[in-house]
Amino acid sequence: MLRALRPVKMVSNTFNAAIAAYQYRVLVAGGCYGGLSAAINLLEKCDALDSPISVDVTIVDERDGYYHLIGSPLAMASKEYAEKAWVEYKNVKRLQRPNVSFVQGSVTNVDCENKVATISDRKTQKTREESYDFLVAATGLRRAWPVVPQALTREAYLEEVGAHADRVLNSTAPVLVVGGGAVGIEMATELKYLQPNVQVTLAHSRDKLLSAEPLPDKVKECALELVEEGGVEVLLNHRLAGSVPTKNADGSVVHEVEFTNGHKMVVSEVITAVSNSIPSTSYLPGDALDADGYVNVRPTMQLPTGVPNADLHFAIGDIIHWSGIKRCGGALHQGKMAGVNIHQIMLQQLREKEPDFMQMSEVPPMIGLAVGKNGLSYGSDEMSYGPQVMKLFFEEDLGFRIVWDHLRLGSIGA
């Protein structure tokens, strides 16, 4: 049962004062909400003074740091906030410990039967194989610019979003945001809230905002009222047909846009907030995926039983096929589940203790939305909105501090 584990030398340090007979190797693919939550919760369990377990954790991510994804609408409009929203992994204090390593790169293949992952390392530009005892897939969705910055280093990211911020803040004609989903709403209203002098128009192809979400009409109507209250012009039933860049008399570049209903306008910038997000799951076995590339998981977050060593492979966050609207809070909770459940299997292997797994229930539709100075929340058939909701759900930084402190990323040791 433990043949895959490797012996370790006798060590004594702050994080593990016990002499362990075996060293577990845990590979986490993805270093955002779900992946970091899984690693931190597992380390916390393994550090228990009464029953410490020796474990090495490797976290692989394409970026060189933790990026607060839900803060993107604010990062695109504020250079000051952009500096805060991306923290290089070397500065995430909680995970600066000898048994945690970060690899900037990507997992390109997983051999579940032999428990070997192929990793493409961005720093060395080489591919290598790494054995593991447990794998957590938390690689999220691929989203297009400008929904999510495409840069992979903090330096390049600051240049990317800084240039975008300069363009929209220096606009002479309206800024057009295309797409009335949650991202489009937040992008339009954050920009208008931070820069009231900028004209902002939000165009959506359907007759209601949030049309793709399984939410009651009262939520969608409230979202519209809050967007318009924030000073953003809303064009419903406006599907973008095309956009042609041209120059003004002063030499500045503008865009002549036309909608399928014939409406035309001239804008300084076109921000496309419509993204056909694609699950980053091509490295996982096809038997674990549904037709759209999302990972089928059991309520324990383990892969389906038909996959070799399924009990030792977990998937969490936006890549899984599960009920409910994909949210940061869901990824954090699923990460905790994966960490706790891996620890339960370790206890079973080491001490023959029957595992007591955390299990995910079906998730009803719920949402938290930042709409300028106002927040909008819906869950359990209850809707709330206003500045107090904004403060509760997002504070002043679109939830950066809330998530940072929840994971205690600024603390030393897990």
Side-chain angles (χ1 to χ4, degrees), residues 76 141-150 187 272-278:
M76 295 293 182
L141 305 179
R142 292 207 174 276
R143 298 177 171 95
W145 169 266
V147 175
V148 169
Q150 302 300 293
M187 280 191 157
T272 304
V274 179
S275 175
N276 294 321
S277 301
I278 301 170

Side-chain angles (χ1 to χ4, degrees), residues 124-160:
T124 64
Q125 296 294 303
K126 293 181 179 179
T127 297
R128 72 170 192 267
E129 291 189 337
E130 181 151 331
S131 298
Y132 60 84
D133 301 301
F134 296 92
L135 179 132
V136 179
T139 37
L141 305 179
R142 292 207 174 276
R143 298 177 171 95
W145 169 266
V147 175
V148 169
Q150 302 300 293
L152 300 180
T153 66
R154 186 174 188 273
E155 182 180 4
Y157 148 78
L158 290 174
E159 292 179 4
E160 183 181 33

Side-chain angles (χ1 to χ4, degrees), residues 282-299:
S282 58
Y283 60 95
L284 292 171
D287 290 348
L289 309 179
D290 69 8
D292 296 316
Y294 289 91
V295 187
N296 292 312
V297 292
R298 288 173 276 166

Side-chain angles (χ1 to χ4, degrees), residues 231-242:
V232 174
E233 178 189 22
V234 180
L235 302 175
L236 296 175
N237 295 309
H238 276 63
R239 183 181 296 277
L240 185 65

Side-chain angles (χ1 to χ4, degrees), residues 17 43 83 173 188 191 232 269 308 311-312 330 347:
L43 289 164
E83 292 268 358
L191 174 58
V232 174
E269 287 292 326
D311 288 353
L312 309 180
L347 291 178

